[in-house]
Amino acid sequence: MNRTKLTIFFDGECPLCKREVDFMNSRNQKGYLRFIDINSSNFSFDKYGITYKQAMERIHALKSDGSVIRDIKVFQHAYSLIDLGWIYAPTKLPLIDKLLSLIYEVWAKYRLKITLRPSIEKLCEQKGCDIS
């Protein structure tokens, strides 16, 4: 029986992203979270309607109802599914949500530089994907 309620697409080559996924997975006793490394050679973007570039620009997740969420909403939902929703509960307050969303945007924009990785254009070129 498939218990997955949230499928999270993550960059397995990003050390900080990997650490976060490892933490969430360690708390995933109910099996509600599924993690898919977008850099895995057998990952098919066509199946999920998310391009490699989109997935590299910000975190995305697929809910069990088929809807896609991204950014801080992914963490809010994931943490509630692993019984740590209280950690992200304050982020649902409008001012905190807006502030954390801005912080996440900066992180997403510079995460490749921060983690000493090639640019998104270079990564897309290596994967042979469209960068438009």
Side-chain angles (χ1 to χ4, degrees), residues 14-81:
C14 169
L16 296 173
C17 304
K18 182 83 172 93
R19 182 180 292 173
E20 179 70 15
V21 165
D22 288 346
F23 171 74
M24 287 189 286
N25 203 26
S26 75
R27 301 285 306 208
N28 191 26
Q29 286 87 6
K30 296 175 187 170
Y32 291 159
L33 302 180
R34 179 176 171 222
F35 301 95
I36 297 180
D37 181 353
I38 60 172
N39 285 299
S40 170
S41 60
N42 59 356
F43 178 65
S44 169
F45 289 94
D46 296 335
K47 181 177 178 182
Y48 299 103
I50 301 168
T51 68
Y52 179 74
K53 183 175 185 286
Q54 288 170 329
M56 286 297 289
E57 287 176 332
R58 51 193 355 106
I59 194 164
H60 289 71
L62 181 68
K63 293 172 67 174
S64 57
D65 68 3
S67 61
V68 174
I69 57 174
R70 35 181 233 177
D71 304 338
I72 294 303
K73 302 269 184 264
V74 172
F75 299 104
Q76 290 170 335
H77 195 60
Y79 272 65
S80 70
L81 291 172

Side-chain angles (χ1 to χ4, degrees), residues 116-128:
L116 306 175
R117 308 257 314 283
S119 69
I120 196 158
E121 292 78 17
K122 185 77 168 168
L123 290 170
C124 282
E125 181 182 305
Q126 291 170 356
K127 287 270 187 190

